[in-house]
Amino acid sequence: MTAYNRILLKLSGEALMGDDAFGINHDVITRTVQEIGDVTALGCQVAVVIGGGNIFRGVAGGSKGMDRATADYMGMLATVMNALALADCMRVNGITARVMSAISIDQVVEPYVRPKALQYLEEGKVVVFGAGTGNPFFTTDTAAALRGAEVGAQVVLKATKVDGIYTADPKKDPQARRYDTITFDEAMSRNLQVMDATAFALCRDQNLPIRVFSILKPGALRRVVMGEAEGTLVTQH
């Protein structure tokens, strides 16, 4: 029996790059999809919010000096590209997925409509949310918190390249210590930037816990869904 019946999985675009400079690494996205398939097979309903940093990174040099709102809309389109790639990889692996976009691209994906998203989840389909919140100046972390609250997820799972939240950057500080648990207020006051403050505040206000873990660690997603201690848990208390 799983610890969670419905989860919101936040995938960073960078996590899909593997060792590549930008773009989508085929082996990484396939392994990620197989991990998602493992937990759906357990009966867990999965919604996904995906970032676009891996795609947008390829054009980031040309965006210098660009209007912030314009750059953010470009980033939203990058998340839709990732969402389509993820859903197609799921199709290849026998998983039924639906992509829903917060901005209107009707010829490509269907628009985000909350009752429809809930219906898909209840039918056992994986729902992939693209285009963030649909608004500039808001990150896909905030979109994950928002969509998680809207669809009634029991937890937001932040899947990154790092296996939790640390006291400092573990790549720069070998003495950095990983937190097993931490409160939202502590995470914000210590400026632990694994998620932005808006996302932390929204999850705190909605009493929606966050668990940060490494998607590159085999079986980590399944262990989280089964309620095992993996990564760092962020809660109210």
Side-chain angles (χ1 to χ4, degrees), residues 100-112:
M100 307 187 88
S101 171
I103 57 177
S104 181
I105 321 176
D106 293 348
Q107 291 89 342
V108 182
V109 294
E110 60 184 292
Y112 168 65

Side-chain angles (χ1 to χ4, degrees), residues 165-169 177 179 181-197 200 232 234:
I165 301 176
Y166 283 77
T167 54
D169 187 342
R177 179 178 59 85
Y179 296 100
T181 61
I182 191 171
T183 67
F184 289 111
D185 290 337
E186 286 176 319
M188 288 188 285
S189 66
R190 295 177 186 178
N191 198 30
L192 301 174
Q193 298 179 356
V194 67
M195 293 184 84
D196 65 80
F200 274 137
T232 302
V234 189

Side-chain angles (χ1 to χ4, degrees), residues 63-83:
S63 69
K64 291 179 180 178
M66 183 181 292
D67 175 76
R68 168 64 190 276
T70 299
D72 281 358
Y73 280 118
M74 291 174 66
M76 289 180 214
L77 295 175
T79 72
V80 175
M81 294 169 66
N82 276 341

Side-chain angles (χ1 to χ4, degrees), residues 26-160:
H26 177 267
D27 292 339
V28 172
I29 194 171
T30 300
R31 186 171 64 249
T32 300
V33 163
Q34 290 170 348
E35 296 255 345
I36 293 172
D38 286 345
V39 299
T40 58
L42 296 172
C44 183
Q45 297 174 5
V46 181
V48 182
V49 167
I50 191 164
N54 59 318
I55 301 295
F56 193 64
R57 181 174 295 188
V59 296
S63 69
K64 291 179 180 178
M66 183 181 292
D67 175 76
R68 168 64 190 276
T70 299
D72 281 358
Y73 280 118
M74 291 174 66
M76 289 180 214
L77 295 175
T79 72
V80 175
M81 294 169 66
N82 276 341
L84 288 169
L86 188 68
D88 191 66
C89 189
M90 289 184 187
R91 176 190 62 79
V92 171
N93 284 271
I95 303 167
T96 303
R98 294 290 182 268
V99 178
M100 307 187 88
S101 171
I103 57 177
S104 181
I105 321 176
D106 293 348
Q107 291 89 342
V108 182
V109 294
E110 60 184 292
Y112 168 65
V113 178
R114 180 175 174 269
K116 194 70 174 177
L118 291 171
Q119 178 185 329
Y120 286 150
L121 289 170
E122 289 164 3
E123 290 171 352
K125 298 178 175 71
V126 176
V127 182
V128 186
F129 297 118
T133 67
N135 301 286
F137 309 108
F138 290 93
T139 69
T140 50
D141 283 343
T142 299
L146 177 63
R147 295 290 181 252
E150 286 182 309
V151 302
Q154 295 163 299
V155 66
V156 171
L157 304 181
K158 174 73 182 278
T160 69

Side-chain angles (χ1 to χ4, degrees), residues 214-229:
S214 173
I215 194 63
L216 303 180
K217 191 174 178 182
L221 179 59
R222 181 187 178 96
R223 288 192 291 275
V224 169
V225 168
M226 294 301 294
E228 297 180 29

